[in-house]
Every structure is written in C-alpha cells, then in structure tokens.
Amino acid sequence: MTQYFATVARGLETIASQELENLGAANVRPAFAGVHFEGDKTLLYRVNLWARTIFRVLVPIAEFPCYNAAKLYREVQKIMWDDYLEPHNTFAVDCTGGNEKLNHTHYTALQVKNAIADQQRHQFGTRSNIDTQKPDLLINIHIEKENGILSLDSSGSSLHRRGYRPAMGVAPLKETLASALLEMAEYTPDLPFVDPLCGSGTLPIEAAFKALNIAPGFYREWFGFMSWRDFDQTLWNQLCQDAEKSQRAELPSLIIGSDRDPEMIKQAQINAEQCDIIDQIQLMQKDFGEIEAPADKGIIICNPPYGERLGDAQELGEFYKLMGDVFKQRFKGWNAYILTGNKELGKRVGLRTSRRIPVYNGGLACTLLKYELY
C-alpha cells in the first residue's frame, strides 16, 4: 500500500474523503485542503480517472526538516533522483506553503531544481531540462513550519481540467467545485436539473457526467503518471475500457442550462459537443425572468454574480429579488440553491433558507443557500 495525498479546495475535504472511499481508498484521513489515503497503483490510476472533486494526487517520497534554503538543498540532494529521472527526461518543481526563511514559492522551487540538477551534473555530466508545460516528472515541495514534504505529482495538471473544454466563460466555475455543489445539493440522476445562469456550461456538463456515469478524466489525453518509469499501459487501458463500458446511453431525467447571453450558450454548446453530450442536455438562450419549471420537482442551482466578480453589488439587488420571486412562483416542489459571496445580496432573495452551507469559490468565502419550495 502506497501513501497518497489528494489536494482539494478548502472546505471540500469531507466530500473528497467520501469520494475517495467510494473509489476504494484505504485509511482515508482529511486534512486542511487535502486528504491522506492509501492504495495500490490501480487505485492511483482510478482516482485520477474518476475523482470529481479533487485537484491532484501527490505521491510523497520524502519528509525532512526544512528551516532554510541550505537545509532544503541538502535534503533534496540526499534523494537518489536517478530512481525517478534521467538526464533526457524533463522536470518541473511546484511549491506550496512556506515558513519564515522559505517565504517565496518560486525561490523555494528553484532550490529544489538546483539540488536535482547539480546531482545529475555530478553523476552524469549533464542535467535534465525544465519543462513547465508538460514535464516528464512534476515535483511538489510543500513547506509547513520547519518541515518539508517532497512528492511526485501523478496528475500532471489539475484534475479540474477535464480535457474537453476549448471554450471558457468570463468567470467560469471550476469543474471540481461544480461537482461538489451537486453533491451538496444531493443531486441524483433521476431528478431534473436546471441551471438558469449556466455560462459556458460547467454545472450542466458536470451533472451530465454524473448522470451518464462518465469518468471526469475520460477526455484528458495526459496524466503525469504516464511518463513515469513504472507506468503500466495495459492497466491504464483496461481502466479506460471499463470506464467506457460503464457509461449510460441516456440521461434518466432532464438536464437544462440557460443563459441570457447568446455567446455564453455558444460556448456551452461547444463544450458539450467536445464531450459528446450535446444531444443529451438542453442548452438555450433565455432570460432568467422567462424560465419555467420543466417538471413538478427537481433541483435548480444558480451561481449569480455577487459583486466581487462581474458586477456591482448594489445593482444586483433587484436581480436577487427576481430569483426569489421566480423560485416562489414557478418552482414549487423543487429545491433551489444559490451560491453567493455577498450576505446582503443573499437577503434580497426574500425567501427563508433551509440550509446555509459554507463553501469557498477560489479564495472567496461563499455560502450555498438552500431553499425548499412548497
């Protein structure tokens, strides 16, 4: 059993822990902005392919005291890097965290890079090149107080990048957060789903991925572990084949996305086409005031502007009031959710919340407001 660490958005540790357990992880332990877990190589590949709410899967290879740059350099040089890297391979170093003496992530990453390169020069007379876009080996150094943890990044790029998206809206919701919101809203495939502010389609597409049992990583062409020495192509091919076979052919219920901006709907349609679900979900240009409930029950989720992002908060008050009126008049029997980072705007909805769920959208503290509409 190998030790792994999944990085997640702040506040999503519990949801990610449950997801990892469902994927077969052992000894799952949530931490701040991440989850420790254990498993074999099959699990490592499966989590990268199937996890909906995590960013990266790190494989820790060393932990050591790390109170300044010189100590960091010495500790990194103790690792036998030829076990992981040859001079013809490329690598990159990513740094998170810090302490009093190591308080600049670029500088800290540079110390790790120099230690590895110097070891290679001494051993081989040459060194690996740096490739920040698609390195053969992506290394993470995490500094916490006077301790350093060095890990290999099995994901390569963040798993919120599903691999289908050529088109992106002005302020897109990360796919990982969208998937977490669906969990918080207790969305199940048998329920109709509506996002009347869908932008470039992230929430409807994530709902469709879940409802059709599409692996979130199915459309990605590359993961970090694919360039590792021990990459098992046969195992990976089998997991991808199993994932494809497990997909459902049709949605059990409606998934609808709408937006008043026709350009946003074009982007959503392009994204839906890229992952072959354009014929499954309904995407339409429609003003919020024109939306109607397509069934007598379901889930509606809204991610409106909240001042910090796209519009002025004072001008948004009337729109929040409109959301409350539309919910109350047209969505009886539904559960409605609004993600907002502005408490005063939340009050303008004019409906009593049944739950208030803390959540972070990037670094912004937000609340997911739940309304049970009767």
Side-chain angles (χ1 to χ4, degrees):
M1 297 279 275
T2 303
Q3 301 276 343
Y4 300 119
F5 184 76
T7 66
V8 305
R10 182 179 174 184
L12 301 186
E13 298 91 346
T14 300
I15 286 176
S17 295
Q18 184 60 59
E19 181 174 33
L20 287 165
E21 287 181 356
N22 292 342
L23 289 170
N27 298 323
V28 176
R29 295 179 292 112
F32 178 75
V35 184
H36 299 275
F37 66 102
E38 296 178 8
D40 58 11
K41 185 186 294 186
T42 301
L43 179 74
L44 177 69
Y45 293 1
R46 184 185 298 122
V47 170
N48 274 285
L49 180 62
W50 279 101
R52 301 184 189 277
T53 62
I54 72 174
F55 288 141
R56 300 175 183 274
V57 186
L58 304 179
V59 185
I61 60 171
E63 185 170 353
F64 42 76
C66 192
Y67 41 80
N68 60 25
K71 179 64 172 175
L72 172 62
Y73 180 93
R74 291 195 299 270
E75 292 294 338
V76 173
Q77 280 234 314
K78 291 178 183 178
I79 298 168
M80 300 300 293
W81 284 103
D82 58 337
D83 288 343
Y84 308 102
L85 191 67
E86 295 182 13
H88 68 269
N89 299 133
T90 59
F91 77 102
V93 182
D94 175 53
C95 174
T96 54
N99 59 29
E100 185 178 351
K101 296 291 180 67
L102 294 166
N103 55 14
H104 192 290
T105 55
H106 179 73
Y107 174 76
T108 302
L110 190 62
Q111 303 314 302
V112 176
K113 186 267 293 184
N114 288 342
I116 296 170
D118 290 349
Q119 185 189 97
Q120 287 185 315
R121 283 197 195 95
H122 178 76
Q123 187 173 1
F124 303 108
T126 186
R127 50 151 289 187
S128 294
N129 289 325
I130 301 299
D131 181 352
T132 58
Q133 299 302 310
K134 190 178 176 182
D136 294 323
L137 192 70
L138 180 57
I139 299 161
N140 176 269
I141 176 69
H142 179 69
I143 308 295
E144 187 170 355
K145 297 181 180 178
E146 295 191 347
N147 195 53
I149 301 175
L150 202 66
S151 303
L152 307 183
D153 187 334
S154 73
S155 303
S157 62
S158 175
L159 296 176
H160 84 269
R161 297 187 177 98
R162 305 303 200 209
Y164 67 79
R165 183 191 284 275
M168 190 174 292
V170 179
L173 194 68
K174 275 191 170 63
E175 288 81 353
T176 42
L177 177 55
S179 189
L181 293 177
L182 291 167
E183 288 297 313
M184 294 174 190
E186 300 178 334
Y187 167 71
T188 55
D190 59 301
L191 288 171
F193 174 81
V194 174
D195 176 4
L197 301 169
C198 74
S200 56
T202 305
L203 268 165
I205 290 173
E206 286 298 307
F209 272 30
K210 181 173 182 177
L212 294 169
N213 201 39
I214 296 173
F218 189 75
Y219 293 96
R220 283 174 58 120
E221 295 182 355
W222 183 78
F223 295 85
F225 60 77
M226 289 179 169
S227 53
W228 291 4
R229 287 184 180 178
D230 67 347
F231 175 51
D232 188 333
Q233 184 72 61
T234 302
L235 173 60
W236 177 247
N237 289 345
Q238 186 61 55
L239 288 169
C240 290
Q241 289 169 16
D242 292 345
E244 188 169 17
K245 289 176 184 176
S246 73
Q247 293 180 12
R248 300 187 183 100
E250 294 183 359
L251 288 174
S253 193
L254 293 169
I255 293 179
I256 299 173
S258 62
D259 200 284
R260 67 180 299 178
D261 185 344
E263 186 57 37
M264 287 290 98
I265 291 300
K266 286 180 185 177
Q267 291 188 18
Q269 289 170 338
I270 291 169
N271 290 330
E273 285 173 359
Q274 291 294 314
C275 50
D276 301 321
I277 60 169
I278 187 65
D279 296 329
Q280 297 273 5
I281 63 177
Q282 299 178 35
L283 297 167
M284 63 193 80
Q285 189 266 319
K286 185 174 287 191
D287 191 88
F288 193 98
E290 299 173 349
I291 65 169
E292 302 279 351
D296 58 4
K297 64 178 180 178
I299 289 176
I300 181 170
I301 300 182
C302 300
N303 177 33
Y306 27 86
E308 300 285 342
R309 193 181 60 167
L310 292 179
D312 182 80
Q314 293 180 344
E315 297 177 4
L316 291 169
E318 286 303 311
F319 181 69
Y320 275 69
K321 182 179 182 301
L322 172 65
M323 285 193 290
D325 291 343
V326 169
F327 290 169
K328 181 170 59 178
Q329 295 166 12
R330 304 178 194 169
F331 284 84
K332 286 183 172 64
W334 285 59
N335 286 331
Y337 295 83
I338 297 175
L339 179 67
T340 183
N342 188 312
K343 289 183 178 179
E344 293 306 310
L345 284 175
K347 294 176 183 176
R348 296 295 300 273
V349 176
L351 301 175
R352 178 177 295 180
T353 57
S354 59
R355 282 188 73 194
R356 302 173 65 87
I357 307 169
V359 62
Y360 282 83
N361 187 359
L364 183 65
C366 297
T367 306
L368 184 65
L369 306 172
K370 177 182 180 180
Y371 304 93
E372 296 178 358
L373 307 171
Y374 298 111

